[in-house]
Structure formats: structure tokens, C-alpha cells
């Protein structure tokens, strides 16, 4: 099982591979009980952002992480 840090880095690498822009990974475990990391990424268009979002979800599923609301 991967740690939260490893999962965050894997998703960050996945978004980078899809040419995500301005990728920022923030460690928020000291200020939030909801999550350990917060990942911010931008894209060049609505289509690009949708692709990035879908790929991030796919990567999380491949890592065995459960997504909320699914």
C-alpha cells in the first residue's frame, strides 16, 4: 500500500505527463483533517482540463485509491 505522499507524487507525475500546467502540490495535513495533500493544476482549455481530471482519476483508481462520490 502506498503512502499519501507516494500517491500524491504519482498523480503529480501523471498530470505532468499530460502536459498539465502550473502544477502545485501542497502539504496540508497540519491545517486540514480532510486530506494530507492538495494538488492544483491548470490546463490550456476546457477539454484539456477535463482530460487532466479524468487522467488523475484513472491514475488514482490504478493505484487502488477509492474516490468519493463514485
Amino acid at each position: 500500500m502506498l503512502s499519501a505522499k507516494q500517491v500524491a507524487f504519482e498523480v503529480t507525475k501523471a498530470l505532468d505527463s499530460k502536459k498539465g500546467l502550473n502544477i502545485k502540490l501542497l502539504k496540508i495535513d497540519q491545517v486540514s483533517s480532510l486530506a494530507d495533500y492538495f494538488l492544483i493544476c491548470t490546463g490550456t482549455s476546457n477539454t484539456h482540463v477535463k482530460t487532466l481530471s479524468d487522467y488523475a482519476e484513472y491514475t488514482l483508481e490504478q493505484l487502488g485509491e477509492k474516490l468519493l462520490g463514485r
Side-chain angles (χ1 to χ4, degrees):
M1 183 171 186
L2 297 175
S3 70
K5 183 177 184 177
Q6 290 170 317
V7 170
F9 281 128
E10 288 300 318
V11 176
T12 300
K13 288 191 308 188
L15 293 175
D16 186 54
S17 75
K18 293 294 183 187
K19 303 199 185 315
L21 304 173
N22 303 317
I23 300 171
K24 303 289 182 208
L25 181 61
L26 307 173
K27 186 174 182 184
I28 63 168
D29 62 336
Q30 298 296 315
V31 295
S32 174
S33 60
L34 182 65
D36 292 332
Y37 292 91
F38 189 74
L39 181 60
I40 303 169
C41 179
T42 60
T44 57
S45 67
N46 288 344
T47 303
H48 188 209
V49 171
K50 174 74 170 120
T51 300
L52 291 168
S53 175
D54 290 346
Y55 197 61
E57 288 183 16
Y58 172 78
T59 302
L60 286 168
E61 288 173 355
Q62 294 302 305
L63 295 171
E65 296 296 320
K66 293 183 180 178
L67 301 176
L68 298 175
R70 295 274 173 182

